[in-house]
Amino acid sequence: MIVLGIETTCDETAAAIVRLAGDGRGEILANEVHSQIKDHAPYGGVVPEVAARAHVEILDGLVKRALNDANLKLSDVDGVAAAAGPGLVGGVLVGLTTAKTLALAAGKPFVAVNHLEAHALTPRLTDGLPFPYLLLLVSGGHTQLLAVRGVGDYKRLGTTIDDAVGEAFDKVAKLLGLPYPGGPAVERAAERGDPERIPLPRPMLGRPKPDFSLSGLKTAVRMEAEKRMPLNGADVADLCASFQAAIVDVLVDRIRFALRAFRDATNEPPRALVVAGGVAANGAIRQALVRLAAEIGLRLVAPPPALCTDNGAMIAWAGIERLALDMKDELDASPRPRWPLDQSSAAAYGGGRLGAKA
Ligand code: KG4
Ligand code: ZN
């Protein structure tokens, strides 16, 4: 089975083609990603109208390139999948309409993919990971701990009640005068800093429900920065290192509690701890997760950074998983700006900048 996947929920325009390989994993035949970082950098964050316009301009060409890279015609694919949410509605409309048109023209099934499900299923594309597993999804738009029990079967164990982790990195970078996107800039500055110089809170530490709250931490960074104005290079480095250390402590603590909740939500222990999302590129966070996984005797699966950040291959793969179970969608499927993976969990206040209250 070969599926074309389209992603336009935020600031990456992406089209990819994935084939279901004999060993049950995915073989990526093409993976075209156009990052709009340059378009949004002057504003210090993603501007929805700018994103939607860029998706319109770029998507057709990317789909053509993906087909070309894979040496395939549209008639060779077995289905067309697009992320239908959660995300910015203008962008989602562009990807959804394009995918429906291609599916209709080629007479192929169409799949409306939940963007979060695509992140959640990526370790099956890369590693053929069996269910169930514990997923830490940390990006600019989402911060969640999920028990992944099967395709379409997710239990949200914890979520952020305000900012997403990547969003907190971006906001801290902005208030310290570092460039956008903030995550890589904060990580670089932190390498030169003292993580213990500036005392910062670890919000939610020790709470049994593995939720997150990061806006207070961001405010604490702002207050510590204001005390030291004008900031010199060492101040910025120490603030970044101290902030990153607080994030690491919070993530490790929340995962420990999520493991307990996992056992209640699923009758078996997790087969692995999986980390996905743009923040998973952070070296200090990765190192802490490696240590934690070794300590608790769990396999750690961290897909390569290019498949952790938003991409079309994960959408195509989710399309493959759903089509294999005969779960296709009608052409009147609507965009879903808010689309929780676990419909049984109450909406969280906040929930990241994409309003992904899953
Ligand atoms: O998954 P992603 O590409 O897009 C979504 O937000 O969905 O994630 C982007 C986010 C941004 O907030 C960015 O600052 C953060 O991931 N990020 C990082 C690092 N690289 C990217 N955060 C911390 N450390 C990094 N090295
Ligand atoms: Zn994402």
Side-chain angles (χ1 to χ4, degrees), residues 119-178:
H119 277 301
L121 296 176
T122 299
R124 292 169 55 75
L125 156 70
T126 56
D127 292 78
L129 191 64
F131 298 118
Y133 48 89
L134 175 63
L135 172 71
L136 170 68
L137 177 57
V138 273
S139 71
H142 329 285
T143 291
Q144 306 188 6
L145 280 156
L146 291 159
V148 181
R149 298 182 289 207
V151 176
D153 184 9
Y154 307 93
K155 175 72 188 165
R156 191 189 76 197
L157 306 171
T159 187
T160 178
I161 59 167
D162 41 57
D163 293 348
V165 175
E167 188 178 11
F169 269 93
D170 294 337
K171 288 179 175 172
V172 162
K174 199 170 183 176
L175 73 92
L176 296 177
L178 297 173

Side-chain angles (χ1 to χ4, degrees), residues 24 60 72 151 154 192 224 238 294 331:
D60 282 2
L72 293 173
V151 176
Y154 307 93
R192 292 176 277 109
E224 294 294 337
D238 292 344
L331 289 178

Side-chain angles (χ1 to χ4, degrees), residues 30-115:
N31 195 14
E32 292 283 345
V33 182
H34 173 86
S35 164
Q36 302 175 4
I37 282 179
K38 278 206 199 81
D39 302 334
H40 301 285
Y43 308 97
V46 178
V47 183
E49 289 77 10
V50 172
R53 196 159 307 160
H55 289 307
V56 171
E57 282 166 11
I58 290 159
L59 184 56
D60 282 2
L62 276 193
V63 170
K64 271 193 207 123
R65 264 177 29 206
L67 284 166
N68 246 344
D69 297 347
N71 218 350
L72 293 173
K73 300 187 294 294
L74 184 60
S75 56
D76 297 326
V77 307
D78 299 297
V80 183
L88 303 170
V89 69
V92 171
L93 265 172
V94 175
L96 210 52
T97 310
T98 304
K100 287 176 181 177
T101 309
L102 292 172
L104 183 66
K108 304 289 178 178
F110 161 73
V111 190
V113 168
N114 182 315
H115 175 93

Side-chain angles (χ1 to χ4, degrees), residues 20-339:
L20 177 60
D23 62 1
R25 302 176 193 206
E27 185 192 348
I28 298 174
L29 304 180
N31 195 14
E32 292 283 345
V33 182
H34 173 86
S35 164
Q36 302 175 4
I37 282 179
K38 278 206 199 81
D39 302 334
H40 301 285
Y43 308 97
V46 178
V47 183
E49 289 77 10
V50 172
R53 196 159 307 160
H55 289 307
V56 171
E57 282 166 11
I58 290 159
L59 184 56
D60 282 2
L62 276 193
V63 170
K64 271 193 207 123
R65 264 177 29 206
L67 284 166
N68 246 344
D69 297 347
N71 218 350
L72 293 173
K73 300 187 294 294
L74 184 60
S75 56
D76 297 326
V77 307
D78 299 297
V80 183
L88 303 170
V89 69
V92 171
L93 265 172
V94 175
L96 210 52
T97 310
T98 304
K100 287 176 181 177
T101 309
L102 292 172
L104 183 66
K108 304 289 178 178
F110 161 73
V111 190
V113 168
N114 182 315
H115 175 93
L116 299 173
E117 173 164 67
H119 277 301
L121 296 176
T122 299
R124 292 169 55 75
L125 156 70
T126 56
D127 292 78
L129 191 64
F131 298 118
Y133 48 89
L134 175 63
L135 172 71
L136 170 68
L137 177 57
V138 273
S139 71
H142 329 285
T143 291
Q144 306 188 6
L145 280 156
L146 291 159
V148 181
R149 298 182 289 207
V151 176
D153 184 9
Y154 307 93
K155 175 72 188 165
R156 191 189 76 197
L157 306 171
T159 187
T160 178
I161 59 167
D162 41 57
D163 293 348
V165 175
E167 188 178 11
F169 269 93
D170 294 337
K171 288 179 175 172
V172 162
K174 199 170 183 176
L175 73 92
L176 296 177
L178 297 173
Y180 170 87
V186 169
E187 183 179 8
R188 241 175 288 126
E191 281 162 16
R192 292 176 277 109
D194 174 359
E196 282 165 18
R197 181 177 148 215
I198 295 153
L200 292 172
R202 269 73 175 151
M204 308 298 250
L205 222 69
R207 296 237 191 141
K209 190 166 183 321
D211 282 332
F212 299 82
S213 170
L214 298 167
S215 71
L217 174 57
K218 170 198 67 197
T219 305
V221 174
R222 169 174 294 127
M223 282 159 54
E224 294 294 337
E226 279 166 2
K227 274 191 225 166
R228 292 171 172 79
M229 290 294 183
L231 299 175
N232 60 34
D235 292 329
V236 171
D238 292 344
L239 282 162
C240 287
S242 301
F243 165 75
Q244 191 171 268
I247 292 281
V248 164
D249 287 350
V250 167
L251 289 175
V252 167
D253 175 83
R254 304 291 68 205
I255 293 169
R256 285 186 198 279
F257 281 92
L259 280 166
R260 293 186 202 171
F262 191 100
R263 293 200 187 97
D264 298 334
T266 314
N267 291 326
E268 351 164 18
R271 302 289 199 94
L273 167 63
V274 178
V275 58
V279 180
N282 184 286
I285 292 174
R286 275 188 183 242
Q287 274 169 26
L289 296 183
V290 167
R291 280 196 300 273
L292 174 67
E295 181 200 316
I296 57 183
L298 212 55
R299 176 179 170 200
L300 177 70
V301 177
L307 295 176
C308 277
T309 54
D310 290 350
N311 65 86
M314 68 178 191
I315 306 297
W317 175 256
I320 287 177
E321 293 248 35
R322 294 186 85 80
L323 281 179
L325 297 168
D326 214 18
M327 297 163 89
K328 54 183 189 197
D329 291 281
E330 299 301 325
L331 289 178
D332 63 356
S334 311
R336 299 179 67 173
R338 296 210 169 130
W339 188 359

